[in-house]
Amino acid sequence: MSRWAGGIGPLDEYPLHQAPLPIGWAASTDRNFYDRSYFNAHDRTGEVFCIFGHGYYPNLGTKDAFFLVRRGDTQTAVHFGDRIDDDRLHQHVGGYRVEVVEPLQRLRVVVEEAEGIAADLTWEGLFPVVREQPHVMRAGSRVTLDAQRFAQVGSWSGTVVVDGSTYDVTPDRWLGSRDRSWGIRPVGEAVPAGAPADPEFEGMWWLYVPMAFEDFAVVLIIQEEPDGLRTLNDCTRIWKDGRVEQLGWPLVTVHYASGTRVPTGASITCTTPDGKPVQLEVESLLPVPLHVGGGYGGDPDWGHGVWKGPGFTERVSYDLTASDVAGRVMFGVIDHVGRGVCDGQEGWGLFEHGSIGRHDPSGFADFFSLAP
């Protein structure tokens, strides 16, 4: 039972309301309403990649968090879960917490030692945040995703500890990206599907590239249907003074490792408002499948919003060379340590891609097609 009266919490003291409800209550009754943060951090070497985040699910009564790290061929995740609380000013799930030091600019993420994993990291935005286009998906008439998100690229400082090895995180080497999103997306336990969607799901193609360069940042998001129809196209370049430049309709060629759906990089041609081409070349230094311990996209071991009991904590490790793990990589989205070159400048950030099922432009005829 909440210690705040009738769902009223500290944020209700402020003129923030958008509905005649306490701030802690979602205006939507959809069970899939969520409010979450995602972060990643890397040191540009491709030797280590940390991905972490947390979410609140008011209509499921749950909250959770995770910290996922890949080193070599091993991917290790620590998961946290608990009942939701009404004090959203203090974001925490078990030993995982986020402190907003300066909104939209500086945050601190702390993971108290859990199963050999610990972190104390401070985020500094290198460029202003970018509000992305609203993202909506349907299965027939049913809304499966209706979300708003903002993104930012930045640097990290602090420490990460993995099984006794300490990484000194310094902002001259450690970069990353983050996003905040809220709305509707599939979360929690599986529910009865009802009649099959018409047409049935054949696949999706997704590309997300937030990347920092010396003078600017690029945030690119594209989603396509199996026939190549683009349902989401959002590409902006943001400068340090806050100017945002739309980069048109990017033309993308993803390069895949032969016999897989794991990309090694991508060639992306964008266009400025005055018609000048902007060429972005991206390469992967280390891939991390988000559905292997991260809880995204049908992860069979742990899912966002699923009730695991009060004070839940667990550690799970995966050998990415094992056949049972490697065989499921192509059925989800993969985050990569990304190195880019744009307008002669070197950049670093996230290269996120998933091609699931059929995608005609890529030559994938079904869920099991692979790159030649």
Side-chain angles (χ1 to χ4, degrees):
M1 181 176 179
S2 171
R3 67 189 182 93
W4 307 104
I8 298 297
L11 283 173
D12 290 300
E13 289 279 17
Y14 301 90
L16 303 171
H17 299 82
Q18 301 296 309
L21 298 167
I23 286 289
W25 293 2
S28 170
T29 60
D30 193 314
R31 70 181 298 278
N32 290 320
F33 187 87
Y34 78 103
D35 200 337
R36 66 179 297 109
S37 292
Y38 160 96
F39 306 90
N40 62 63
H42 66 83
D43 67 352
R44 314 188 199 196
T45 64
E47 296 178 1
V48 59
F49 195 17
C50 302
I51 298 174
F52 42 104
H54 67 289
Y56 284 74
Y57 316 95
N59 296 335
L60 298 177
T62 64
K63 61 179 180 178
D64 57 29
F66 74 99
F67 194 94
L68 177 67
V69 58
R70 177 172 180 177
R71 301 187 302 167
D73 291 324
T74 300
Q75 193 157 299
T76 299
V78 177
H79 302 141
F80 305 87
D82 212 339
R83 292 185 182 275
I84 202 168
D85 62 87
D86 294 327
D87 187 2
R88 307 299 167 77
L89 285 171
H90 301 95
Q91 303 172 63
H92 67 283
V93 187
Y96 181 108
R97 72 177 188 271
V98 175
E99 302 170 5
V100 179
V101 180
E102 181 183 346
L104 307 182
Q105 180 61 30
R106 187 177 298 110
L107 300 95
R108 183 184 179 207
V109 181
V110 176
V111 182
E112 298 174 0
E113 195 282 327
E115 307 283 347
I117 306 293
D120 189 340
L121 297 168
T122 296
W123 165 269
E124 185 77 27
L126 293 175
F127 298 87
V129 301
V130 174
R131 185 179 70 86
E132 301 172 358
Q133 292 181 5
H135 191 185
V136 179
M137 295 178 63
R138 290 181 177 271
S141 65
R142 181 170 60 90
V143 173
T144 57
L145 190 147
D146 185 358
Q148 177 64 69
R149 188 164 73 169
F150 69 76
Q152 189 176 38
V153 295
S155 62
W156 292 100
S157 59
T159 58
V160 174
V161 179
V162 182
D163 295 334
S165 297
T166 299
Y167 294 89
D168 292 321
V169 177
T170 57
D172 61 318
R173 293 294 304 167
W174 283 75
L175 300 175
S177 67
R178 73 178 183 108
D179 67 63
R180 283 275 296 113
S181 67
W182 57 93
I184 308 297
R185 72 184 299 166
V187 293
E189 292 78 4
V191 296
D198 183 20
E200 294 187 11
F201 178 75
E202 293 186 86
M204 66 165 284
W205 186 96
W206 170 262
L207 180 66
Y208 180 49
V209 184
M211 193 162 285
F213 298 85
E214 181 66 26
D215 299 321
F216 56 84
V218 173
V219 179
L220 175 149
I221 315 160
I222 298 174
Q223 182 171 331
E224 294 184 355
E225 296 288 338
D227 61 1
L229 177 68
R230 192 166 291 184
T231 57
L232 181 63
N233 183 89
D234 189 2
C235 184
T236 56
R237 175 159 58 178
I238 185 165
W239 303 83
K240 289 188 175 180
D241 62 6
R243 286 179 297 125
V244 174
E245 181 182 32
Q246 292 183 311
L247 296 182
W249 190 272
L251 302 177
V252 180
T253 300
V254 176
H255 313 297
Y256 297 96
S258 180
T260 77
R261 289 205 189 186
V262 179
T264 59
S267 298
I268 305 168
T269 303
C270 308
T271 308
T272 64
D274 58 2
K276 295 179 181 178
V278 176
Q279 188 66 30
L280 174 59
E281 297 291 336
V282 181
E283 65 174 316
S284 165
L285 299 187
L286 185 69
V288 173
L290 288 177
H291 54 302
V292 179
Y296 288 88
D299 189 331
D301 301 320
W302 184 74
H304 300 158
V306 175
W307 174 242
K308 294 287 189 176
F312 173 79
T313 303
E314 71 170 3
R315 170 177 168 155
V316 185
S317 290
Y318 302 88
D319 178 357
L320 294 174
T321 66
S323 59
D324 61 328
V325 178
R328 76 193 214 204
V329 167
M330 72 183 216
F331 297 103
V333 172
I334 305 173
D335 279 8
H336 304 252
V337 174
R339 175 186 175 273
V341 176
C342 183
D343 283 356
Q345 297 188 24
E346 181 182 53
W348 299 88
L350 176 66
F351 169 40
E352 180 178 274
H353 178 61
S355 184
I356 305 164
R358 175 182 149 225
H359 187 243
D360 296 344
S362 299
F364 298 136
D366 53 34
F367 282 93
F368 304 101
S369 302
L370 299 172

